[in-house]
Amino acid sequence: MTRVDAWTWSVRLFKTRSAAATACRGGHVRINGVTAKPAQTVVPGDEVRVWAGGRERIVEVVQLLSKRVGPSVAATAMIDRSPPPPPKELFAAVPVRDRGAGRPTKRDRREMEKLRGQTPPTP
């Protein structure tokens, strides 16, 4: 049996083990539909859902790993059933200021906040 934080790190779903443990504590990792704690164990056949990098990854455990392995070995340790990532055209374009335009004015800042959907703080 292997801890879920160690397994998700070893199959390269997270960059570091501490990031995997933090995601577990934050409720971003589920095993068979139940929110997982970092020390919860996984067994072959479990479905692991991970919310990371702005998308959900759905993988099935095939092989238990506790040490980080290469990408080719990691690919054989899981079956990836994730939906394809959304196309980049769906993401809103981030407004870019011209180089050398200087610091945004109060008016510019309010327009940027309006685009982002943020409301200014009330005094």
Side-chain angles (χ1 to χ4, degrees):
M1 293 192 293
T2 305
R3 293 170 53 117
V4 68
D5 61 342
W7 187 82
T8 54
W9 165 72
S10 63
V11 296
R12 297 173 174 262
L13 292 176
F14 290 102
K15 203 169 195 175
T16 63
R17 183 165 173 187
S18 62
T22 302
C24 291
R25 282 197 245 32
H28 300 289
V29 178
R30 294 176 164 264
I31 299 175
N32 298 325
V34 179
T35 304
K37 293 183 179 180
Q40 187 170 342
T41 57
V42 292
V43 294
D46 281 348
E47 178 190 68
V48 179
R49 291 177 176 253
V50 175
W51 181 262
R55 65 181 278 225
E56 185 179 34
R57 301 283 309 267
I58 304 168
V59 295
E60 181 181 335
V61 179
V62 174
Q63 179 184 358
L64 296 179
L65 300 170
S66 58
K67 301 282 184 185
R68 192 154 171 105
V69 294
S72 58
V73 178
T76 62
M78 63 179 176
I79 299 172
D80 195 356
R81 295 198 172 112
S82 305
K88 293 183 180 179
E89 293 84 35
L90 291 180
F91 293 109
V94 178
V96 178
R97 291 183 53 82
D98 294 330
R99 187 167 176 87
R103 186 173 174 170
T105 63
K106 184 180 269 190
R107 182 178 182 183
D108 293 339
R109 181 182 54 82
R110 287 184 177 150
E111 288 174 359
M112 286 188 288
E113 287 176 351
K114 190 186 297 182
L115 283 174
R116 291 183 188 140
Q118 297 174 341
T119 57
T122 56

